[in-house]
Amino acid sequence: MYLQSLATAFPGREYTQAECLGILRDSGGLDGLKPRSRQILEKILTGDSGIATRRLAPGDLGEVLGHDAGGLHRVFEEQAPVLASEALRRACEQAGRPPGEIDALLICTCTGYLCPGLTSHVSELLGMRQDAFLQDLLGLGCGAAIPILEAARCISAARPGALIATVAVEISSAAFYLDDDPGVLISLCLFGDGAAACLWHSENQGGQFRFSNFRTIHKPGHREKIRFVNANGKLKNQLHRSVPELAAEAVAELYALRTQDPGKIIAHTGGRDVIEALEAALPGHRLDETREVLRRYGNISSPSVLIALGEALATPARNLWLTAFGAGFAAHSCELTRE
C-alpha cells in the first residue's frame, strides 16, 4: 500500500498559551477552583511546556468551558465533520483524485461519538459515491492513526486498485471544562484540535512511500493510567504521571521489531516529558518533527503523528519509522519506505 498524498486541516483561530490563561481568568472559571488547581494551570500555561500555540475550534473558548455534556458534544458534532472533510478535500486535490473516486473511507477519533459515524457526514460533505465502503474506528485514543493504516492495508490487499482514504480527526476542545482533577487541568493546557488525511493505493506511482511492518503492543494492566472516563456525560482524561515512562518502554519494545534502521523516527507528540522520554529510549534519534508539531499545535491526539509525518515527507529521508501510543495502554508502529 502506497501513500498518494497527506494533508492537514486546523481551526482558523490560533491561541498562545498566555491567551488561554487570560481566557480562563476572564471567564471566571478559575474562581471555583482550589488554589492548588489554579497553580497547576498557571504553571503549565506560563512555563516551558514545549507548546507555543494551539488551534481550537470553538468560536468562544470561554463559553465552551461552561458547557454541560450536551453542549460539549455539540461542539464535536459541529466541528469534527468540517475539519475532517477539509483535510480530505486537500489530500484529494494534492493527489489529483476527486472524492468521487474514493473506494473506502476510514476515520478514527476519540473526542466524540456520532451514529452514524463521521464517515457518513464526511462522505456527504465531499459528495462521495454511495457505494463507497465506510468504516469508523473509535476508542483507540491518541494512538489510533497507525492502526487505522493497518486496517486500510487489509482493505487494499483484499481490493487491489482501490483508492483508500484514512482520516484522523480530534476536537479536543469538546472535552474541555474546569475541574479540580489534575488530568482535566493538564488536558486543558496541552491539547488542541486538528485533522490529517491520507490517500492510499495498492500501486506505486513512482517514488512513493510503502506502508509495512505494522506492530502493536497492548498492556491492559496499565489501562487506568491513561484513558477517557465518563464524568456525568463529559469525557474526562485520566492521566498518570508514569505515562512518559510507559510510552518510552513500549516504544523501545516496538523499535526492536523494526526491519531496518530508519532515517527518521516520527512519533505522536504526547507532551514535552513524553518526547524527552522517547529520545532517551531511542539513543541517536532526535524527534525534531514531533517536537515542532507540539510547539505549533500542542497535543492533537490521533492526528499528531501524521502531522509530524507531513513535516518529514519534505526531507530526503527514505526510511521512516512511525510510532503512536495512548489509551489501553497501547502502542503501535509501522514503517514507511520510499520506493
Side-chain angles (χ1 to χ4, degrees):
M1 182 177 79
Y2 293 88
L3 179 63
Q4 308 298 298
S5 62
L6 188 160
T8 60
F10 302 94
R13 179 67 191 274
E14 182 179 78
Y15 296 84
T16 66
Q17 294 290 71
E19 286 175 327
C20 289
L21 181 57
I23 291 170
L24 290 172
R25 287 171 172 162
D26 294 343
S27 70
L30 297 184
D31 299 340
L33 295 178
K34 296 178 181 178
R36 175 57 179 160
S37 298
R38 293 196 293 270
Q39 290 173 5
I40 291 174
L41 287 172
E42 291 171 354
K43 180 179 179 180
I44 297 174
L45 291 173
T46 62
D48 182 18
S49 64
I51 300 170
T53 56
R54 289 182 286 163
R55 300 288 189 92
L56 301 171
D60 187 338
L61 186 58
E63 180 182 343
V64 168
L65 295 173
H67 278 341
D68 60 13
L72 290 174
H73 178 74
R74 283 191 294 275
V75 171
F76 179 85
E77 187 170 6
E78 293 169 0
Q79 301 293 338
V82 174
L83 210 56
S85 298
E86 179 61 18
L88 183 51
R89 182 188 63 78
R90 292 176 181 176
C92 287
E93 290 178 350
Q94 188 183 121
R97 304 289 296 268
E101 293 185 6
I102 295 172
D103 298 294
L105 170 61
L106 291 74
I107 299 183
C108 62
T109 191
C110 68
T111 48
Y113 174 76
L114 295 176
C115 182
L118 280 171
T119 54
S120 174
H121 298 264
V122 171
S123 64
E124 179 186 23
L125 288 170
L126 293 183
M128 290 174 53
R129 301 195 319 270
Q130 292 186 353
D131 65 346
F133 174 67
L134 306 180
Q135 179 68 63
D136 293 80
L137 278 74
L138 303 174
L140 297 179
C142 292
I146 293 181
I148 203 175
L149 300 186
E150 174 65 1
R153 186 198 63 78
C154 293
I155 296 173
S156 181
R159 300 176 61 182
L163 182 64
I164 304 170
T166 60
V167 182
V169 58
E170 303 292 0
I171 307 298
S172 301
S173 54
F176 281 1
Y177 57 98
L178 286 163
D179 188 290
D180 286 308
D181 182 274
V184 171
L185 299 174
I186 293 171
S187 298
L188 184 58
C189 296
L190 300 185
F191 282 83
D193 301 339
C198 302
L199 287 180
W200 303 88
H201 197 273
S202 58
E203 298 176 1
N204 185 6
Q205 306 301 314
Q208 294 177 330
F209 279 96
R210 178 173 61 87
F211 172 89
S212 65
N213 197 33
F214 170 76
R215 302 286 182 171
T216 187
I217 293 176
H218 304 276
K219 300 190 176 185
H222 296 301
R223 182 182 295 129
E224 296 304 316
K225 293 181 179 178
I226 176 170
R227 60 169 297 196
F228 267 138
V229 297
N230 189 317
N232 297 316
K234 295 180 180 179
L235 290 173
K236 184 173 81 169
N237 205 2
Q238 194 160 284
L239 296 171
H240 192 270
R241 62 179 178 274
S242 63
V243 166
E245 180 184 350
L246 284 173
E249 289 177 356
V251 167
E253 288 183 50
L254 291 169
Y255 187 68
L257 302 175
R258 71 194 186 281
T259 63
Q260 56 191 341
D261 290 334
K264 279 187 175 295
I265 292 178
I266 310 299
H268 164 54
T269 51
R272 183 201 63 189
D273 293 347
V274 170
I275 294 174
E276 291 177 354
L278 293 180
E279 288 181 332
L282 302 167
H285 291 282
R286 280 191 54 82
L287 304 178
D288 294 331
E289 288 79 10
T290 300
R291 202 179 292 275
E292 177 63 10
V293 169
L294 180 69
R295 186 187 71 81
R296 294 173 62 190
Y297 304 111
N299 182 342
I300 323 167
S301 189
S302 65
S304 297
V305 66
L306 296 179
I307 295 168
L309 171 61
E311 300 278 335
L313 293 178
T315 72
R318 300 185 64 85
N319 301 315
L320 306 175
W321 189 78
L322 277 61
T323 186
F325 37 84
F329 176 82
H332 322 279
S333 68
C334 67
E335 297 178 30
L336 288 179
T337 306
R338 193 188 296 274
E339 296 185 349

